[in-house]
Amino acid sequence: MLNNLHTYTIILGSNSPRRRELLAGLGLSFQVRPMPDIDESYPAELPGEEIPLFIARNKAQAYLAGLQPDELLITADTIVWLDGIVLGKPQDREDAIRILGDLSGNTHQVITGVCIVTQQKRVEFSVISTVRFAPLTEEDILYYIDTFQPFDKAGAYGIQEWIGYVGVESIEGSFYNVMGLPIQRVYTELKKF
């Protein structure tokens, strides 16, 4: 599949093991080329649904000067959005406890922005999934944080881990988007290159 991409070297501009796993699931050969120190700040007035796409664009921009004619770059950013607030990666254990406490018993959105870029073409999109968490006990939260160390995950959780099994009541939208890459939409867009 995706034979239309055979002339490209595909580059994943991400350090995320989940994004690597999801892209590999398409059966593609690709290189992981994370760029250090990319600015992930955004204008304070930016609406929540636009934040991850803004950051994904900035990530893509950092690669453009060195992008070769036969290279196709994929960058992405994911946020957790709860009641008008971005819940990013937790700063420490206490922050993770606070974040999961905020998600407990509530519904939030997971928004991923994606840029797919060659020297000739650029495709950008965002995907939103709505996730409903059951009420979590303090014991649930502490067990998850101490066992799984979710400090590299937006919203302090990985849906594919224990907390997703016991805490997620429902999802509207892409499960894989909640993992960090809306892979079905990525596949659809890659077919157009």
Side-chain angles (χ1 to χ4, degrees):
M1 300 302 298
L2 295 174
N3 292 331
N4 58 310
L5 301 178
H6 76 278
T7 60
Y8 289 110
T9 298
I10 300 170
I11 300 162
L12 177 61
S14 175
N15 242 345
S16 166
R18 289 152 302 279
R19 289 191 183 119
R20 284 195 300 262
E21 174 189 345
L22 291 170
L23 194 58
L26 291 181
L28 293 173
S29 295
F30 61 93
Q31 299 175 8
V32 176
R33 228 185 271 172
M35 186 81 78
D37 301 323
I38 294 176
D39 181 16
E40 293 192 15
S41 62
Y42 52 87
E45 69 278 359
L46 207 59
E49 63 274 5
E50 294 179 22
I51 292 169
L53 188 54
F54 179 90
I55 296 171
R57 277 187 199 121
N58 283 351
K59 290 177 180 180
Q61 191 63 38
Y63 287 87
L64 286 184
L67 197 65
Q68 300 302 307
D70 65 343
E71 293 179 329
L72 181 145
L73 171 68
I74 302 170
T75 61
D77 191 73
T78 301
I79 65 166
V80 171
W81 183 252
L82 175 67
D83 297 330
I85 298 170
V86 174
L87 301 178
K89 296 174 185 173
Q91 297 174 359
D92 53 29
R93 183 176 185 269
E94 287 67 37
D95 196 31
I97 292 168
R98 179 193 59 78
I99 290 170
L100 286 175
D102 289 346
L103 294 175
S104 174
N106 286 309
T107 299
H108 62 276
Q109 286 72 45
V110 178
I111 309 167
T112 302
V114 179
C115 289
I116 305 172
V117 181
T118 67
Q119 282 190 354
Q120 294 77 36
K121 187 172 182 174
R122 172 188 292 258
V123 174
E124 303 175 344
F125 58 88
S126 290
V127 172
I128 300 174
S129 301
T130 301
V131 181
R132 172 78 187 165
F133 258 62
L136 301 170
T137 66
E138 182 179 353
E139 183 182 21
D140 292 335
I141 291 171
L142 294 177
Y143 171 78
Y144 175 66
I145 291 168
D146 292 339
T147 304
F148 291 89
Q149 306 284 310
F151 305 115
D152 65 334
K153 295 173 176 67
Y157 79 94
I159 195 167
Q160 71 281 6
E161 297 173 340
W162 181 85
I163 199 75
Y165 303 157
V166 303
V168 174
E169 287 184 342
S170 65
I171 302 171
E172 182 181 324
S174 169
F175 172 85
Y176 298 109
N177 183 53
V178 182
M179 279 182 68
L181 193 64
I183 198 65
Q184 184 278 331
R185 179 73 184 273
V186 170
Y187 174 76
T188 299
E189 297 300 338
L190 286 173
K191 286 175 26 177
K192 299 175 185 176
F193 277 80

